[in-house]
Amino acid sequence: MQGEITMDHFFYYETEIGAIGIRENGAAITHLGFASDLPTENALCEETALTKLAASELMAYFAGAIRCFSLPLAPKGTEFQKKVWQALCQIPYGETKSYKEIAEMIGHRKAFRAVGMANHHNPIMIVIPCHRVIAADGGLGGYGGGLPLKIKLLTLEKSYNKINA
């Protein structure tokens, strides 16, 4: 129906990294992150087919059963942030790119600090793999979920890459 108002939904799932909240707008995932960080205003706490699918793919990722997510995504951000997030999705499973390389990928070769800020504001962790971005010198840089989680995700991907090679 034209003019029909849709309501966002969110739901929480327990995972091996803790409680994760997933929010969707009726057509795509808008947020996926730690439950304590999930924006819940103007949304119903109710499991939907889309939140269930996202949780299922996330569990499959942790089990090493999938390397790519097939979820429809609709992160809200500036055009620059969206370019960065799209570039992050091009980093292959188990590999890393530097902030500088991401800046070059999006045509802003000197904007590596801005790339770091866009990573920091990524609303869909793991699925938009900001954990795969490291410093140019090979250092880990930062991660919104904390460095131990970044290490865990990178280690998980590298270990499943070896198993499935």
Side-chain angles (χ1 to χ4, degrees):
M1 289 178 126
Q2 195 173 34
E4 186 176 320
I5 297 173
T6 60
M7 174 64 78
D8 283 12
H9 292 85
F10 67 94
F11 204 72
Y12 301 107
Y13 298 90
E14 194 56 44
T15 73
E16 67 180 66
I17 63 167
I20 294 292
I22 302 170
R23 182 172 173 152
E24 56 94 357
N25 65 9
I29 301 299
T30 60
H31 295 83
L32 187 151
F34 290 110
S36 59
D37 299 330
L38 188 74
T40 58
E41 64 281 347
N42 301 315
L44 292 173
C45 182
E46 182 176 87
E47 187 175 44
T48 66
L50 193 49
T51 63
K52 193 181 287 188
L53 174 63
S56 173
E57 287 196 12
L58 194 59
M59 299 305 179
Y61 165 84
F62 287 128
I66 66 168
R67 293 171 176 233
C68 298
F69 293 90
S70 64
L71 302 167
L73 305 178
K76 292 182 178 135
T78 67
E79 287 307 310
F80 180 84
Q81 288 171 329
K82 289 177 184 179
K83 280 184 180 181
V84 170
W85 300 334
Q86 288 170 353
L88 299 182
C89 291
Q90 303 306 309
I91 304 171
Y93 180 94
E95 296 182 22
T96 58
K97 297 271 186 208
S98 71
Y99 297 98
K100 182 179 178 184
E101 289 172 308
I102 298 299
E104 290 169 352
M105 285 173 66
I106 64 168
H108 295 276
R109 66 181 186 88
K110 293 187 178 186
F112 49 90
R113 291 185 203 277
V115 166
M117 287 307 298
N119 269 15
H120 178 72
H121 292 289
N122 173 11
I124 306 176
M125 68 184 269
I126 302 171
V127 178
I128 298 176
C130 56
H131 61 278
R132 295 180 188 154
V133 183
I134 60 172
D137 66 2
L140 289 178
Y143 188 62
L147 286 181
L149 178 57
K150 184 172 188 169
I151 293 167
K152 180 177 183 157
L153 295 173
L154 292 173
T155 301
L156 174 129
E157 290 183 10
K158 287 188 187 320
S159 69
Y160 285 125
N161 252 359
K162 288 178 184 172
I163 292 169
N164 296 318

